[in-house]
Amino acid sequence: MTNANLFSALRAAFPEDLTAVAVQTDEGLEYSWRDLDRATAMVANLLQSLNLPEGSRVAVQVEKSIEALVLYLATLRAGFVFLPLNTAYQSAEIEYFIGNAEPAVVVCSGANFGWVSKIAFKAGTRHVFTLNDNRTGSLLERAAQQSDRHTIVKRQADDLAAILYTSGTTGRSKGAMLTHGNMLSNALTLKDYWGWTRTGGPEGRGDVLIHALPIFHVHGLFVAIHGALINGSKMIWMAKFDPKRAIAYMKQATVFMGVPTLYVRMLAEPSLNKTAVASMRLFIAGSAPLLIETFTEWQERTGQTILERYGMSETAMLTSNPYAADKRYANQSERRGGTVGFPLPGVQLRVMGDEGHALPVGEIGGIQVKGPNVFKGYWRMPEKTAEEFTADGFFKTGDVGKVDDRGYVTIVGRSKDLIISGGYNVYPAEIEGFINEMKGVAESAVIGVPHPDFGEVGVAVVIAKPGFKLEPEVLVASLKAQLANFKIPKRCFVVPELPRNTMGKVQKNLLREQYKGLFSN
Ligand code: MLC
Ligand code: AMP
């Protein structure tokens, strides 16, 4: 029987020459495929030496580094479940994730060890390691004592590989459970659909990916890393995105993936031109809507057409504009701005009306999906999971869209009350919950408004209790102490009342209209 462990497939795709460079860092360090193999073996051996129960979670909140990548791959290799956490999360957020997921192992930076270990030990975690972005920390010290040989642990396609927390419109965050099979099927589909090549790129070495995204969400962790590894392709690893350096790297690369904000920032650089991108074959955007202006400006400046795709934590990638002709759609090969392309091979997608029937071409409704990439359910939330699936097994994405007569899917909005800011999700209900707890606050509404850099940002509109005077700056400072920085509303207004409909419900659409010009140039 073959091993369905995702790492097994990634390892099998390593090039024959293990001395070739697999990853090159900003600091000019080079890691070979053999280095990746040995380092993942050592960390996997360390994890296995802890005698953890089957299915144990390994929760990780560390800065981006190759060693963090090694930890991810080693967790897969050892058959445990990876739980990545955004480095912006503060203690209240971490306390919830650790309390909910009950990880057997927590890995954090040395600087955060004090407070993170306290939370972890209180939640029953027995092993807390540190890992810094300068190749130090107790995880590496302990791993250094392990053998660099390791047999990949056997897993079934349906076994859990990762849990990604995604916030909810109501209530707390939910852990989306992704299996080895979910991720491998998606990686193989994209390898084919995006035309990854092992030969023919610069210096005949095949595709080279510029990895510019954080590695705690689907885009940077799965789409980018799996994409390169399943093809045996080298990555240029940027610890932090910087538009100037990203453009400079393009001479050595062929593929770039980014959220729209990264494209907006690169367009502001005079060095972005046709010569700079001459060796690039593919620019991919996703995680948030790519404005048609960005799409067009990129085409004009570089002569290349961004390929926009659509996905989510629960499903990995769902749709994509074509890289080459897609025979299923009349040999269509055009990448159409403003659309997210076609359902990927193997993904079923339908647009449903309020009455629960599939809508005809061109009509707008809720997007539902089914396929081997769709997650197993929410961690320890069977009822929530049941609510989000239809009787015939489709997942309700919470996105609203339409399909045109040529098969292109367009996302026109969201039924979930969600703000996507610079590619990060912000749930108004969560922020409102924190604001409403503050002294003197009667009620609040958090809305998303257009922003030239982040696409959309949060704005808080607050009403005070009678007899209280609220200062917006004080409210924002208090939020900053409790929540990840990208969730903090960029502006806060204290107003006498909120617009309501006849049912008494706050009309956020009117607020969005009122504040939509706040950040326009
Ligand atoms: C940073 N800030 C943000 C922000 N990022 N504010 C709103 N939205 C964001 N996304 C704020 C900080 O709070 C801080 O404010 C200030 O900007 C500077 O912080 P920074 O950390 O120096 O910012 P920077 O490095 O410039 O980060 C911007 C960014 C980053 C765009 C590079 O946000 C980023 O990497 N985004 C990518 C997110 C991503 O990978 N999403 C994929 C999700 S997967 P202050 O006030 O504290 O100074 C998914 C599924 C799919 O959605 O389909 O892919
Ligand atoms: P997350 O929960 O972080 O995985 O975010 C998933 C959400 O991001 C989706 O449900 C969409 O609302 C949004 N999204 C992802 N890609 C796109 C895209 N190309 N265009 C518009 N929205 C997108």
Side-chain angles (χ1 to χ4, degrees), residues 128-164:
V128 182
F129 295 103
T130 59
L131 177 62
N132 303 311
D133 57 0
N134 61 356
R135 300 185 302 289
T136 62
S138 61
L139 184 88
L140 300 178
E141 282 161 24
R142 290 280 302 276
Q145 297 156 16
Q146 300 288 331
S147 161
D148 62 0
R149 284 169 179 270
H150 174 268
T151 306
I152 302 169
V153 171
K154 282 233 178 229
R155 282 292 166 256
Q156 310 281 339
D158 197 40
D159 285 336
L160 278 199
I163 297 180
L164 295 191

Side-chain angles (χ1 to χ4, degrees), residues 273-435:
N273 55 36
K274 293 193 169 109
T275 316
V277 305
S279 84
M280 294 293 292
R281 95 175 157 82
L282 184 56
F283 289 97
I284 300 168
S287 307
L290 180 75
L291 293 182
I292 193 75
E293 297 91 84
T294 313
F295 175 86
T296 313
E297 206 186 328
W298 191 270
Q299 232 168 10
E300 285 163 6
R301 282 274 289 285
T302 67
Q304 301 218 16
T305 305
I306 298 174
L307 175 154
E308 185 173 2
R309 92 310 178 269
Y310 154 62
M312 56 196 301
S313 301
E314 288 92 335
T315 63
M317 296 304 98
L318 290 165
T319 73
S320 171
N321 270 280
Y323 171 67
D326 188 324
K327 294 191 187 67
R328 298 170 305 159
Y329 297 93
N331 265 328
Q332 183 61 253
S333 62
E334 189 194 354
R335 294 177 209 160
R336 289 173 61 86
T339 82
V340 292
F342 306 128
L344 286 166
V347 174
Q348 294 176 61
L349 181 146
R350 66 188 187 193
V351 176
M352 301 297 278
D354 290 340
E355 286 81 40
H357 57 277
L359 293 174
V361 158
E363 284 192 29
I364 293 172
I367 295 179
Q368 299 185 351
V369 294
K370 193 175 185 175
N373 52 314
V374 175
F375 75 135
K376 208 172 165 167
Y378 293 113
W379 171 255
R380 292 183 182 162
M381 290 188 186
E383 281 150 26
K384 193 76 207 158
T385 304
E387 268 172 39
E388 302 300 330
F389 281 88
T390 63
D392 58 348
F394 277 76
F395 173 62
K396 304 172 191 165
T397 63
D399 292 308
V400 173
K402 59 181 181 181
V403 183
D404 73 13
D405 53 0
R406 286 187 286 178
Y408 287 90
V409 178
T410 301
I411 313 249
V412 299
R414 302 169 202 128
S415 58
K416 49 193 177 192
D417 190 9
L418 160 71
I419 300 167
I420 305 186
S421 185
Y424 284 142
N425 290 2
V426 180
Y427 279 84
E430 183 185 14
I431 321 301
E432 289 160 3
F434 277 86
I435 300 176

Side-chain angles (χ1 to χ4, degrees), residues 434-470:
F434 277 86
I435 300 176
N436 295 346
E437 288 290 303
M438 291 179 197
K439 195 166 173 231
V441 172
E443 203 184 351
S444 63
V446 172
I447 49 161
V449 303
H451 188 274
D453 184 31
F454 294 122
E456 200 179 17
V457 293
V459 168
V461 188
V462 184
I463 42 180
K465 280 186 180 154
F468 282 88
K469 187 167 172 356
L470 298 174

Side-chain angles (χ1 to χ4, degrees), residues 132-321:
N132 303 311
D133 57 0
N134 61 356
R135 300 185 302 289
T136 62
S138 61
L139 184 88
L140 300 178
E141 282 161 24
R142 290 280 302 276
Q145 297 156 16
Q146 300 288 331
S147 161
D148 62 0
R149 284 169 179 270
H150 174 268
T151 306
I152 302 169
V153 171
K154 282 233 178 229
R155 282 292 166 256
Q156 310 281 339
D158 197 40
D159 285 336
L160 278 199
I163 297 180
L164 295 191
Y165 273 87
T166 136
S167 301
T169 304
T170 54
R172 300 306 300 257
S173 278
K174 304 164 291 198
M177 299 190 288
L178 291 150
T179 66
H180 288 268
N182 290 148
M183 304 214 273
L184 181 58
S185 70
N186 212 234
L188 291 172
T189 301
L190 296 174
K191 172 175 151 65
D192 194 39
Y193 204 70
W194 290 344
W196 284 86
T197 156
R198 285 173 86 102
T199 56
E203 300 154 49
R205 280 200 218 117
D207 274 319
V208 175
L209 171 78
I210 300 177
H211 193 298
L213 289 164
I215 55 167
F216 23 69
H217 297 293
V218 161
H219 202 160
L221 185 64
F222 299 153
V223 192
I225 291 175
H226 298 167
L229 295 186
I230 200 77
N231 193 55
S233 286
K234 174 175 149 179
M235 287 189 271
I236 299 178
W237 191 259
M238 302 186 73
K240 191 170 167 23
F241 171 72
D242 172 83
K244 278 192 185 57
R245 273 189 295 116
I247 294 167
Y249 283 139
M250 286 175 192
K251 290 204 169 50
Q252 311 166 46
T254 61
V255 182
F256 181 89
M257 292 183 195
V259 300
T261 300
L262 306 199
Y263 287 95
V264 170
R265 291 188 181 182
M266 287 192 286
L267 279 168
E269 293 297 328
S271 61
L272 182 79
N273 55 36
K274 293 193 169 109
T275 316
V277 305
S279 84
M280 294 293 292
R281 95 175 157 82
L282 184 56
F283 289 97
I284 300 168
S287 307
L290 180 75
L291 293 182
I292 193 75
E293 297 91 84
T294 313
F295 175 86
T296 313
E297 206 186 328
W298 191 270
Q299 232 168 10
E300 285 163 6
R301 282 274 289 285
T302 67
Q304 301 218 16
T305 305
I306 298 174
L307 175 154
E308 185 173 2
R309 92 310 178 269
Y310 154 62
M312 56 196 301
S313 301
E314 288 92 335
T315 63
M317 296 304 98
L318 290 165
T319 73
S320 171
N321 270 280

